Amino acid sequence: MKKILSFIAIAIIMTSCSSSDSGSSNFKPSLTRLDLASKVPANLQQNSPQAFSQISQMEAYMNMGTLYMNNPVGKSASTNTWSSGGYTVTYSYELVGNQYQFSYTMTLNSVLYFTLTGWENTAGTAGHWNYIMNTAVLGDPNGSNFNITFDWTKNSLGDYHFEMDFDMGTSGNLNYVSNIYHDFSGNYLYSSNSEQIYGATWNSSGHGQFTNYMTNPPTVTNF
């Protein structure tokens, strides 16, 4: 997954290339930035690196939308385009009702390579992004589309719910569901092709259980 998500960073790098702008916007969103890694109980951080790693990933995936929901440096237009070495990136953003929305597309030699679209409620109560990449564009004869969707919600108590789906085409799919509550207790379940792989649950003091479902019987570790 890290390899796939690393491709998304190409769009950020492309912002240093030349650009052509059109339109105008006062798009200045005040977006949610989650800092779970510094707030989860110390016991969890120290005694369950597996659970802490998953929490840190959810933070990174949620905040990734924030990175794409900002005006590019020095840009004032609602649509911007960058081109370099056969790659062309087009980025647009706008405020629609109670949502900040954005869209990235990248082509390679005029063939669509990936799209990345997303939104976040202006109240900071929910967000979503969807990433589709066509690896065949890079010359892979067995290439196919990868599709990642990420959704999060936050209720009035400050409880967060996360869900991530990773469709790898013929290679199968991954699913991740997590809840981080306002007292920093929580749980998560990680599955592949509808079969459970890992799961964890913990209380507000950072003690809980990590379960490895790939063993028979499942291996439970207390922390």
Side-chain angles (χ1 to χ4, degrees):
M1 185 174 293
K2 290 182 178 178
K3 181 179 180 180
I4 298 301
L5 290 180
S6 66
F7 287 107
I8 302 177
I10 296 175
I12 298 176
I13 296 173
M14 292 289 287
T15 60
S16 63
C17 304
S18 60
S19 66
S20 59
D21 306 333
S22 63
S24 62
S25 175
N26 293 319
F27 188 78
K28 297 180 179 179
S30 176
L31 294 164
T32 304
R33 292 195 63 87
L34 191 61
D35 189 19
L36 285 176
S38 66
K39 295 178 180 179
V40 295
N43 287 322
L44 187 149
Q45 296 187 43
Q46 295 171 4
N47 300 324
S48 184
Q50 302 98 329
F52 183 61
S53 174
Q54 295 297 327
I55 294 171
S56 298
Q57 286 184 24
M58 286 302 97
E59 176 185 334
Y61 296 149
M62 178 180 173
N63 289 337
M64 191 188 78
T66 301
L67 295 176
Y68 284 89
M69 208 87 70
N70 283 295
N71 247 356
V73 175
K75 309 300 178 186
S76 60
S78 58
T79 299
N80 298 279
T81 300
W82 300 264
S83 297
S84 178
Y87 290 95
T88 299
V89 175
T90 300
Y91 171 51
S92 64
Y93 54 88
E94 57 185 334
L95 174 63
V96 179
N98 65 346
Q99 289 184 348
Y100 296 115
Q101 300 181 2
F102 74 94
S103 174
Y104 262 94
T105 62
M106 177 182 285
T107 60
L108 176 58
N109 299 322
S110 300
V111 179
L112 185 63
Y113 176 26
F114 82 69
T115 62
L116 176 62
T117 59
W119 57 265
E120 182 172 318
N121 288 346
T122 56
T125 54
H128 163 88
W129 54 261
N130 182 41
Y131 173 58
I132 301 174
M133 182 180 69
N134 181 9
T135 59
V137 174
L138 299 180
D140 180 0
N142 299 315
S144 61
N145 285 335
F146 290 90
N147 185 18
I148 305 172
T149 59
F150 183 81
D151 292 273
W152 65 269
T153 59
K154 178 186 178 184
N155 65 19
S156 59
L157 294 176
D159 301 328
Y160 285 92
H161 175 79
F162 306 92
E163 183 160 4
M164 187 172 191
D165 288 295
F166 186 13
D167 184 353
M168 300 178 291
T170 57
S171 299
N173 63 77
L174 301 173
N175 177 260
Y176 184 93
V177 177
S178 180
N179 296 286
I180 310 293
Y181 302 109
H182 63 279
D183 63 353
F184 298 107
S185 63
N187 56 71
Y188 72 81
L189 183 62
Y190 188 52
S191 305
S192 175
N193 298 322
S194 300
E195 294 185 3
Q196 297 176 347
I197 300 177
Y198 302 114
T201 182
W202 60 93
N203 59 27
S204 58
S205 64
H207 294 289
Q209 292 183 330
F210 174 83
T211 303
N212 180 354
Y213 293 99
M214 293 191 295
T215 62
N216 188 17
T219 303
V220 178
T221 304
N222 295 314
F223 57 86

